[in-house]
Amino acid sequence: RMRFDTRGRGWAVGSRGGIIHTSDGGESWKLFKLTDTEMLNSLYLPDDTTLVAVGSTGAIFRIPVPR
């Protein structure tokens, strides 16, 4: 899953707990490792400071937005 906001910032989740983040509309990406074992299936940004990711086992991770 991938999400972008109106300022060109984007986040995507995937295998082995990886979250990638861009602040330039996708020109470059940085990897942020949330967990080593959980497949992340979905993400939600309820506000400008919080990212919620959901894993394949139902685990829910609520963290500050990676910058």
Side-chain angles (χ1 to χ4, degrees):
R1 298 274 188 213
M2 185 178 294
R3 298 280 186 262
F4 277 87
D5 67 10
T6 58
R7 294 181 293 229
R9 298 182 307 168
W11 300 264
V13 295
S15 64
R16 297 203 176 195
I19 298 174
I20 55 174
H21 170 257
T22 182
S23 58
D24 58 12
E27 291 292 322
S28 62
W29 294 86
K30 295 179 186 173
L31 174 65
F32 173 78
K33 199 75 161 166
L34 184 58
T35 175
D36 286 329
T37 58
E38 190 77 26
M39 170 75 172
L40 300 176
N41 293 327
S42 186
L43 71 132
Y44 172 64
L45 294 140
D47 56 48
D48 282 346
T49 62
T50 308
L51 183 144
V52 179
V54 180
S56 59
T57 64
I60 300 172
F61 303 91
R62 184 181 181 102
I63 61 167
V65 170
R67 304 255 180 231

